[in-house]
Amino acid sequence: MTKKFQSIISKFTPAISLTVICLLWLAVSEGELIPNYMLPSPVEVVKAFISEFPILAAHSAVTLQEAVYGLLLGTALGFAFAVLMDRFNFLYKALYPILVVSQTIPTIAIAPVLVLWMGFSMAPKITLVVITTFFPITVSLLDGFKSVSDDEINLLRSMGAGNIKIFRHIKLPAALEQFFSGLKVSASYAVVGAVISEWLGGFEGLGVYMTRVKKAYAFDKMFAVILLISAVSLLLMGVVALLKWLSMPHKRGKNK
Amino acid sequence: MSLLRAENITVSFENVRIIEDISLSVAEGETVSLLGVSGAGKTTLFNVLSGLYAPDEGKIYFDGEDITGKAGKISYMLQKDLLLPHKKVIDNAALPLVIRGMAKKEAREKAESHLREFGLEGTGNKYPHQLSGGMRQRVAFLRTYLASEKAALLDEPFSALDSITKSAIHRWFLSVMKEIKLSVLFVTHDIDEAILLSDRVFLLTGKPGKITEEIIIDLPGEKSERNPMSREFIAYKEEIIRKIGII
């Protein structure tokens, strides 16, 4: 009986901690410990979210579109890089340092340049998402490919397999686990990347909405959009988790 | 008539000679063991025989054909089962057939038809992580057999198993070998295992590794009746220990 009780408690722990934080937030803002214009109460945030919902939905459709296109392109690019760098060692040596350095450039610094080059359309936003998402994919896939042991490769060679069959039967499946870890990181970057690029120029999207409400000091709407961005990121990460579950049947029910 | 024949194989790595002038042959359906201490070049010899790389000197013939440096003719099994975790037992076993270009469905059917013979009934749809170490080696052996129904190289296939599982798998191995016509070259450092399973034993010793002795195991009756406690068995063991010990 106590064991069952414990398992229920552990299941609801995250929900409980979240509730506690929300209650604290409510207490702080209702008790006016922090002035209301600086920290709106959660009730106001929810109200703002509901009243602004049609506008938020339209903007988030744009942002989500940029994030998804960018993520798909970034994944394709990351995959191509990883495969070529794994196959040709000189490409690995030539490209790896450049890839690492490219990730040290702050997104916020390249975003305006991209706008200058490509205009206010969707192109610079998607490009920025591609730049931020392909790196985790490349690195995770490369690690996955390299995790295959020489013994496994030799075994397939002894069966007469060439590079393509070795890739298809052992390297790719062995890299799936890492690939999905990378994709999860990339999915969370994608939405944030799209929002940041919208800050710096554009006509629609959650980032544009965010700059507008910030300038109007409408902090309740600001918090509402932050919540929405988190929700959209979580949604994308959920899709990734679902894809992983679908493509790795042998892992089901194993890591419980 | 020998099915697999190696003649005067010599291999060096970076000017260090690993194995020198090794000649051996395995007849159809025969089990021959290669017994030697670690570092005598057993694994190198195996890689060469399986065609993963060519020897510096010497030739390998399979069924009369020169297969020196050609992979895909003789199958290979290691101490590690190397089953692919993402494939079901049936697909792991059928892998060599698929690699050779057989349609997936047909390959599965063929693997399926051997499950009983290899004591793997009912495991076809399981994943490797759901099986015990002994069962996994059975799957690996079936995969090896499907890779080549004629000749297989087994590199210490049972040495990672505990001694109880090991003696069970020895019995299993002998009963399967009675059903299939497979020529086996078996590497081991376990003297009992070599005597128990083989028709002949080669001693591989020294640096570079050379074959110093050939011992024909001539015990009465079936291999499955061999008793490690019998006087004849122990006599072979003494002979082998004495001959390895000289070096």
Side-chain angles (χ1 to χ4, degrees):
Chain A
M1 196 59 198
T2 44
K3 240 190 184 159
K4 199 173 180 191
F5 183 67
Q6 275 173 350
S7 89
I8 290 172
I9 289 284
S10 77
K11 226 177 217 170
F12 286 103
T13 308
I16 292 168
S17 61
L18 201 64
T19 314
V20 169
I21 289 172
C22 284
L23 286 176
L24 271 177
W25 178 11
L26 189 69
V28 164
S29 58
E30 291 296 315
E32 307 227 345
L33 289 171
I34 297 172
N36 220 344
Y37 63 87
M38 285 177 78
L39 183 71
S41 96
V43 181
E44 283 167 50
V45 172
V46 172
K47 273 185 192 160
F49 187 83
I50 293 167
S51 68
E52 291 284 293
F53 188 74
I55 303 169
L56 281 174
H59 282 300
S60 56
V62 175
T63 305
L64 194 60
Q65 215 178 341
E66 291 160 0
V68 169
Y69 287 163
L71 184 58
L72 289 178
L73 278 172
T75 306
L77 192 71
F79 190 86
F81 264 94
V83 170
L84 291 173
M85 284 164 73
D86 181 64
R87 177 68 187 82
F88 303 105
N89 203 30
F90 72 94
L91 277 183
Y92 182 85
K93 282 187 180 155
L95 292 178
Y96 198 80
I98 299 175
L99 290 184
V100 173
V101 170
S102 80
Q103 293 308 300
T104 62
I105 303 169
T107 14
I108 207 118
I110 23 172
V113 182
L114 291 174
V115 172
L116 277 177
W117 287 341
M118 297 177 180
F120 290 96
S121 65
M122 228 183 225
K125 283 107 184 169
I126 293 176
T127 310
L128 193 81
V129 175
V130 169
I131 291 171
T132 49
T133 55
F134 91 97
F135 185 71
I137 304 278
T138 308
V139 171
S140 59
L141 272 174
L142 273 175
D143 280 350
F145 293 153
K146 299 229 182 288
S147 73
V148 173
S149 72
D150 288 348
D151 283 341
E152 287 171 282
I153 292 173
N154 279 343
L155 179 76
L156 260 79
R157 279 206 198 290
S158 82
M159 293 175 186
N163 282 331
I164 293 173
K165 280 178 177 163
I166 286 174
F167 181 79
R168 186 173 131 22
H169 287 286
I170 44 178
K171 285 205 164 180
L172 188 60
L176 273 187
E177 178 101 52
Q178 279 102 324
F179 168 71
F180 279 110
S181 305
L183 190 59
K184 202 170 166 188
V185 175
S186 287
S188 67
Y189 284 2
V191 180
V192 176
V195 169
I196 290 177
S197 67
E198 285 164 355
W199 285 353
L200 296 147
F203 306 110
E204 43 188 358
L206 289 174
V208 174
Y209 178 87
M210 218 170 170
T211 32
R212 274 185 210 154
V213 295
K214 193 181 78 181
K215 281 176 185 156
Y217 290 98
F219 278 14
D220 51 345
K221 290 176 187 169
M222 186 79 178
F223 274 79
V225 73
I226 290 172
L227 283 183
L228 185 61
I229 290 168
S230 295
V232 172
S233 295
L234 286 175
L235 179 78
L236 267 187
M237 284 158 83
V239 172
V240 171
L242 178 70
L243 280 177
K244 180 179 173 179
W245 188 82
L246 287 174
S247 57
M248 300 178 77
H250 61 288
K251 288 278 175 180
R252 285 177 208 164
K254 193 185 171 188
N255 293 338
K256 272 180 187 167
Chain B
M1 173 63 195
S2 60
L3 185 72
L4 172 65
R5 194 153 48 89
E7 284 178 0
N8 314 101
I9 304 287
T10 298
V11 180
S12 313
F13 277 127
E14 291 161 1
N15 294 326
V16 180
R17 207 157 255 209
I18 311 289
I19 47 177
E20 191 171 70
D21 197 26
I22 287 184
S23 298
L24 56 85
S25 67
V26 185
E28 224 177 288
E30 192 184 27
T31 302
V32 174
S33 282
L34 206 56
L35 190 65
V37 290
S38 316
K42 290 174 294 188
T43 304
T44 306
L45 180 60
F46 260 45
N47 286 338
V48 168
L49 290 175
S50 63
L52 288 177
Y53 42 81
D56 297 320
E57 285 165 44
K59 293 269 179 218
I60 299 146
Y61 297 96
F62 175 70
D63 224 354
E65 182 194 352
D66 183 355
I67 58 154
T68 317
K70 271 189 222 163
K73 290 281 180 191
I74 305 169
S75 56
Y76 192 107
M77 174 174 171
L78 300 180
Q79 180 184 334
K80 285 182 276 179
D81 55 66
L82 298 176
L83 298 177
L84 305 181
H86 58 276
K87 285 191 198 283
K88 289 177 178 174
V89 164
I90 192 78
D91 292 319
N92 263 295
L95 182 65
L97 302 174
V98 173
I99 284 182
R100 229 181 288 149
M102 193 185 275
K104 200 173 172 184
K105 189 166 170 269
E106 200 187 332
R108 270 190 181 170
E109 275 166 13
K110 180 150 192 208
E112 187 89 54
S113 70
H114 286 289
L115 284 184
R116 238 178 95 88
E117 200 176 12
F118 280 72
L120 289 165
E121 276 166 296
T123 62
N125 281 319
K126 289 191 175 170
Y127 285 103
H129 70 81
Q130 295 170 305
L131 301 182
S132 65
M135 289 302 268
R136 291 168 62 112
Q137 282 306 71
R138 291 185 187 198
V139 180
F141 187 56
L142 173 56
R143 180 187 60 197
T144 310
Y145 175 64
L146 290 174
S148 165
E149 294 181 11
K150 284 182 166 174
L153 308 170
L154 311 186
D155 190 356
E156 303 189 9
F158 309 135
S159 62
L161 302 173
D162 64 84
S163 66
I164 294 170
T165 311
K166 199 169 170 177
S167 60
I169 212 163
H170 283 157
R171 258 173 287 147
W172 165 84
F173 178 77
L174 290 174
S175 75
V176 172
M177 285 295 287
K178 255 170 75 177
E179 303 297 317
I180 59 181
K181 266 204 165 202
L182 187 69
S183 303
V184 169
L185 185 62
F186 196 103
V187 161
T188 179
H189 53 237
D190 179 338
I191 297 173
D192 281 10
E193 186 174 67
I195 302 171
L196 196 64
L197 305 180
S198 330
D199 300 297
R200 283 182 293 141
V201 177
F202 286 114
L203 301 187
L204 184 71
T205 48
K207 266 182 191 198
K210 285 181 201 165
I211 288 182
T212 45
E213 289 286 341
E214 178 186 355
I215 295 151
I216 296 166
I217 309 292
D218 187 17
L219 289 166
E222 299 270 352
K223 276 185 196 159
S224 54
E225 291 162 22
R226 288 181 182 174
N227 175 5
M229 298 299 161
S230 71
R231 195 179 304 159
E232 298 91 334
F233 196 105
I234 291 170
Y236 276 119
K237 201 170 167 178
E238 277 180 333
E239 183 186 349
I240 290 171
I241 291 172
R242 186 159 40 79
K243 281 175 173 160
I244 292 182
I246 294 168
I247 312 299

